[in-house]
Amino acid sequence: MSDQPSRLPPPEDVLEIGAPEQFAALAHPLRQRLLFALGHQAATVGQLAAQLDGKKGNVAHHLKVLRDAGLVHVAETRQVRGGTEQYYRRTARRMVVAEPQAAGTAAMLAAVAQELDLSPVEPQLTLRHLRLSPAKARELGETLAGLVDEAEESAEEQPLHGVLVALYQQAPPAGASSSG
């Protein structure tokens, strides 16, 4: 018997995040990292704990929170050595947060920072501020999203890379008008 379950059906393409329990679930860096880890294949609590260098009990707790929020589900169960092994999978390939909340954004950035620290190669990290018209900002956002969506993935044995794309308008200084 193989260590992996049989081929699982693909997750839904896009899940829009909007429920309070989803935002609460996203407000912890380990849960963000679990979602990253489940981005390409289903995995058990033990596999995830080994991959993320965590304790099984801690990983199981955070998976339960994600499951209760509808962000992951049990994709398959198998009987092994008298017990039941559960393979977890994200409920969607992409998760889109229409109206991000500070706690979830902070947790996601903390999770990305942890991944950057663990990267075996020097990461590409750039922050640049640009003056753009609303139309140019929309065009840039669509172009960046398109680049990520259309990126061709290599074979499974190739290294996994994370991509974070953020485009936001800076808040004007306190007391300044935003129409200018």
Side-chain angles (χ1 to χ4, degrees), residues 88 152 175:
Y88 291 86
E152 191 71 31

Side-chain angles (χ1 to χ4, degrees), residues 10-72:
E12 294 298 317
D13 190 40
V14 177
L15 173 66
E16 186 164 326
I17 304 297
E21 63 272 12
Q22 291 173 323
F23 286 116
L26 294 174
H28 193 284
L30 180 56
R31 293 194 283 263
Q32 293 279 345
R33 292 190 68 213
L34 286 166
L35 288 172
F36 297 163
L38 293 170
H40 282 79
Q41 66 183 29
T44 66
V45 170
Q47 290 168 337
L48 290 165
Q51 181 179 344
L52 300 177
D53 196 27
K55 293 181 172 43
K56 285 184 181 182
N58 195 26
V59 168
H61 164 74
H62 289 291
L63 280 171
K64 181 183 181 328
V65 173
L66 291 169
R67 186 175 176 188
D68 290 348
L71 302 176
V72 301

